[in-house]
Amino acid sequence: MAKTRSDVNPQATAAARYLRISSSKLNQVAALIRGTHIDEARRILAFTPKGASHEISKVLEAAIANAEHNHNLAAHELFVKEVMADEGPTLKRFRPRALGRAYRIRKRTSHLHIIVERRGTEPAPRQAKSTGGEQTSGRRWRRGQGEAAASGGAAPKAPRTRAGLRAARRAGPKTESRGEAKGGRRQMPRPAKGGN
């Protein structure tokens, strides 16, 4: 008889429903611990300065306790398989405003579900998605590399913004901006102070 996936990687779950925090706030912290070992997840939650980390850590501890008690799994073998924060019902309240109007206040709730599982071996680390070259770390880096390669990488470009020009003036030798290099506009003399 073939083994099912639950026999190979036994799982335990825990859930908290109607939490008084929005699911988007929970998902920010949940993304930090997905796929991690539970010791690492505990460390991350302990040092994450968000209110959602307290709620998630309570449910994580419940899932670990369920794994130990109900499925006889050792805590040091567990990994966080899934963390799902779904939207719950929204409590609608009203805030009085000027001229007899009322603004709606939405007090959002959420449902949190955590699944922990035992894995036979350490999982391979997640690889970042790549859109082009393997060495590139972003569009700006590629653009800069292409320009440096085209110009031979000889001289840095002149700054294009006012803030860049100011910083270049403060930093050292004068660099010509695009307008001055092409014989740009001359400034008109300032009028003398006082009347006509």
Side-chain angles (χ1 to χ4, degrees), residues 124-135:
R126 286 186 272 170
Q127 294 181 356
K129 293 179 183 176
S130 177
T131 57
E134 296 306 314
Q135 296 176 344

Side-chain angles (χ1 to χ4, degrees), residues 36-115:
T36 60
H37 190 270
I38 60 156
D39 292 335
E40 181 66 19
R42 283 174 172 159
R43 270 192 290 274
I44 290 169
L45 293 173
F47 293 105
T48 301
K50 294 206 175 260
S53 61
H54 178 68
E55 304 291 340
I56 292 177
S57 64
K58 287 201 297 188
V59 179
L60 178 65
E61 293 301 325
I64 294 166
N66 288 344
E68 290 176 329
H69 185 264
N70 298 341
H71 301 287
N72 296 325
L73 300 175
H76 60 85
E77 298 175 341
L78 297 175
F79 287 80
V80 178
K81 181 186 177 192
E82 281 184 35
V83 184
M84 296 174 293
D86 301 324
E87 239 180 80
T90 301
L91 307 173
K92 295 175 179 71
R93 303 290 182 261
F94 292 94
R95 179 91 180 151
R97 301 296 293 187
L99 301 175
R101 287 181 286 213
Y103 281 8
R104 177 177 289 170
I105 296 174
R106 296 174 192 89
K107 295 180 182 258
R108 309 224 182 240
T109 63
S110 54
H111 306 312
L112 178 64
H113 301 275
I114 295 182
I115 301 174

